[in-house]
Amino acid sequence: MTKRLENEVSLLERHVKMLKTIKENEPIGIIRLAELLGHPQHKVRYSLRILEQEGLIVPSPDGAVTTEKFDEFMKDIDRLLEDMEKAVNRLKIELKSP
């Protein structure tokens, strides 16, 4: 149960880092993204596919570029992480109580 949660958070972290890197370097291709992030190309391809399915990036002849959904997504992720942090803190308190 905990391993699955850990994997999902790790995957989300990779997607968000990749999205930010695309925004900072757009347009950018798979090879350059892999170099900048230190991830294998197959993982970069997977994340690009997910980001494209979510409508956060689109392909261009010169590489991936972000869409108008970028700013709202980043705000949503920030809110989600704040909510998760609160939930984690409540869980930590619950674990310490007898």
Side-chain angles (χ1 to χ4, degrees):
M1 180 168 56
T2 58
K3 188 64 174 169
R4 183 174 171 198
L5 176 61
E6 186 179 342
N7 289 340
E8 289 296 324
V9 170
S10 178
L11 188 58
L12 177 61
E13 179 181 21
R14 186 174 84 214
H15 293 334
V16 169
K17 283 182 180 178
M18 187 168 302
L19 186 58
K20 287 183 69 178
T21 302
I22 293 167
K23 181 70 171 177
E24 294 165 359
N25 297 278
E26 58 190 352
I28 187 167
I30 292 170
I31 295 170
R32 183 71 177 132
L33 269 171
E35 290 171 353
L36 288 173
L37 296 169
H39 294 302
Q41 289 183 28
H42 72 277
K43 288 188 176 189
V44 170
R45 267 191 218 93
Y46 175 77
S47 290
L48 288 172
R49 189 174 13 204
I50 298 300
L51 295 172
E52 186 176 359
Q53 287 173 354
E54 292 294 320
L56 296 166
I57 64 167
V58 292
S60 79
D62 297 318
V65 294
T66 56
T67 68
E68 69 282 349
K69 293 184 178 184
F70 174 84
D71 291 330
E72 189 62 33
F73 174 78
M74 296 308 272
K75 289 176 192 172
D76 289 345
I77 283 293
D78 189 51
R79 283 190 293 265
L80 172 67
L81 292 174
E82 285 178 11
D83 291 345
M84 289 175 67
E85 183 179 19
K86 290 174 188 172
V88 166
N89 287 333
R90 287 192 304 270
L91 182 57
K92 288 169 76 174
I93 290 169
E94 183 66 28
L95 289 172
K96 290 179 182 177
S97 68

